Amino acid sequence: MPARVAELGAVGRPSILVPLPGSIDQDQFANAGVLAQANGAASDSGRRDFTPTALAAEISALAAEPARLTAMGRRRPQRRPVRCRERLADLVAKVAGI
């Protein structure tokens, strides 16, 4: 799962993922699906009738269930520890040429 989506699980935040419908390779759809499948996010990626009204309804439904939001924030597709600090430090060192 690419870092842009994995970060949501790493920081323990529930989310609603809305992939760009016209993307050529549908990578956003696949990435959203991974987190949604682990119940760590709500995803409207398969809906053709997605509208601002539908999004508002989804937000309202989730806001009415704080326990569900907490549970979503705790779920992530991978069970191994996320070593964010170490990975970021390695990236900074690599970019800096250290």
Side-chain angles (χ1 to χ4, degrees):
M1 179 174 54
R4 293 172 300 279
V5 175
E7 290 160 350
L8 294 170
V11 297
R13 296 291 183 241
S15 59
I16 297 174
L17 302 172
V18 184
L20 181 66
S23 68
I24 295 171
D25 60 2
Q26 294 298 307
D27 60 325
Q28 292 181 0
F29 178 82
N31 297 339
V34 171
L35 196 54
Q37 199 167 30
N39 294 317
S43 177
D44 284 303
S45 56
R47 290 179 52 183
R48 300 283 181 226
D49 63 338
F50 185 73
T51 63
T53 302
L55 177 59
E58 183 73 23
I59 292 169
S60 293
L62 288 170
E65 299 182 63
R68 180 178 175 205
L69 288 171
T70 300
M72 287 172 67
R74 290 184 179 144
R75 294 188 181 112
R76 60 178 76 131
Q78 42 187 301
R79 298 271 182 221
R80 59 187 162 80
V82 179
R83 299 178 13 248
C84 298
R85 291 183 192 138
E86 293 88 352
R87 293 176 68 190
L88 180 58
D90 290 345
L91 178 61
V92 169
K94 181 179 177 181
V95 170
I98 302 172

